Amino acid sequence: MINQHTQVKAAIVYFPEFSDRFIRMQQKMILNGMSMKTFQSYIRNIARLSLELKKLPECATEEEINAVLTILNKQNKLESRSGYKHMIYGLRYYLKMLNSKYEYLRLPSIKQDKSLPLILSKAEIQRLFLSCKEGRQKLMLMLIYSAGLRAQEAAGLKLQDIDWDRKLIHIKNGKGGKDRYVPLSLYLINELKEYLFNYKPVYYLFNNKAGRVIGTSTLRHNMHEVVKRAGLLKKGICLHTLRHSYATHLLEDGLNIVSIKELLGHANIEATLVYLHVANYESPKKCSPLDNLYDEKNINEEEAKEKIKWIVDFTLKNGLDKPRKDNQLRLFEIGSDT
């Protein structure tokens, strides 16, 4: 299979009309206020599908498209459920743009991924930072964890986005084009100032060697390197694990779920509620209710037995075990005499 980065070029070579489709789709998405990242994902998926079909999607039948999508999904050639989702959405957008009958095209339904996010403990986070080989690498990962940033948000941070006086970080144009503010870690302030003094970035907080914005691939590579060096054995640890851990640790520390939603920049509370299933609360502690029946705050088991024995003896002695209408009155009178 052709590498992802050359799929669009290959589609233009094999299908001359694809160049026109590329320009039209780019213009339409820009005018609709959609991000270039979304456009790149959509057009790459359309190119890939065209190469698999050996024709442009608008020239294929419903059965042909469904067959290719089924093969891609079955063979796990799409990197993730998110990748499959973008293939579906991109195809719908493309066909609608060309006034093709996309509404009659039955695309495979997207199954909800019910797996819980991977979380690192606080001890594992500390171990991760201790395994960084140099200060800049450590600062990148610490900043992502401290503010719950996505990879793209961390890479695009500018010097002007840090409000030193208010101790806030301004996240601009996050997912869905949303802006938000997150607290600047007090622990990181001196580390950041030392970094600025030593590296002297000009515009972006993290520049590459050419002085341009750092790529998200560099951040992910750094994370992979550090995880390996730290010897963490959990499978699937990636850069986004720091964001998941950030949200979970805030929840465990007592911050309410609505505030966490705002800090993460989630559009819907449902996306944030997943952390309720992975948080490990210390108070109240998860345990069997039986374990709390006989703790020091409750009645001692031996005392409970003695009390029960006294009640039974008292009941039998005074005939309170027999059903009589005046038992309540007699119990009151007996209790008054004793």
Side-chain angles (χ1 to χ4, degrees), residues 153-166:
E153 293 168 348
L157 270 181
K158 302 179 184 67
L159 295 175
Q160 64 186 26
D161 294 334
I162 300 177
D163 189 332
W164 299 97
D165 294 330
R166 298 171 64 210

Side-chain angles (χ1 to χ4, degrees), residues 29 90 111 167 172 226 258 288 314 338:
M29 292 183 74
K111 222 175 176 184
K167 296 178 177 57
K172 297 177 181 176
V226 176
V258 176
S288 167
F314 183 84
T338 56

Side-chain angles (χ1 to χ4, degrees), residues 284-301:
K285 187 178 179 181
K286 292 177 184 176
C287 65
S288 167
L290 181 63
D291 296 334
N292 292 328
L293 278 179
Y294 303 111
D295 65 12
E296 56 195 15
K297 294 179 182 178
N298 291 302
I299 299 173
N300 182 276
E301 188 174 0

Side-chain angles (χ1 to χ4, degrees), residues 214-327:
I214 195 171
T216 55
S217 58
T218 302
L219 293 174
R220 292 190 175 96
H221 176 73
N222 281 340
M223 181 68 177
H224 178 74
E225 240 186 21
V226 176
V227 168
K228 192 175 179 181
R229 200 178 300 119
L232 298 176
L233 301 179
K234 289 179 178 176
K235 289 185 179 180
I237 298 174
C238 63
L239 198 63
H240 210 68
T241 305
L242 294 177
R243 178 173 159 89
H244 289 319
S245 301
Y246 160 86
T248 305
H249 294 167
L250 283 178
L251 194 58
E252 291 173 345
D253 289 340
L255 189 63
N256 66 78
I257 198 74
V258 176
S259 296
I260 293 172
K261 170 189 174 292
E262 297 304 316
L263 289 173
L264 291 172
H266 284 164
N268 301 305
I269 190 68
E270 287 77 11
T272 320
L273 291 175
V274 68
Y275 299 111
L276 292 172
H277 299 286
V278 291
N280 185 24
Y281 300 97
E282 291 188 9
S283 179
K285 187 178 179 181
K286 292 177 184 176
C287 65
S288 167
L290 181 63
D291 296 334
N292 292 328
L293 278 179
Y294 303 111
D295 65 12
E296 56 195 15
K297 294 179 182 178
N298 291 302
I299 299 173
N300 182 276
E301 188 174 0
E302 293 302 321
E303 290 178 356
K305 286 179 180 178
E306 287 296 323
K307 188 169 184 178
I308 291 170
K309 185 176 180 300
W310 183 89
I311 292 172
V312 171
D313 291 344
F314 183 84
T315 301
L316 293 173
K317 180 182 176 182
N318 293 280
L320 297 178
D321 57 321
K322 298 175 183 178
R324 289 178 56 178
K325 292 182 180 180
D326 60 341
N327 268 352

Side-chain angles (χ1 to χ4, degrees), residues 144-184:
I144 290 170
Y145 168 72
S146 72
L149 304 180
R150 300 180 178 95
Q152 193 70 33
E153 293 168 348
L157 270 181
K158 302 179 184 67
L159 295 175
Q160 64 186 26
D161 294 334
I162 300 177
D163 189 332
W164 299 97
D165 294 330
R166 298 171 64 210
K167 296 178 177 57
L168 293 171
I169 301 173
H170 189 185
I171 311 300
K172 297 177 181 176
N173 198 28
K175 191 173 181 179
K178 292 175 63 179
D179 285 13
R180 71 183 189 278
Y181 281 96
V182 294
L184 171 63

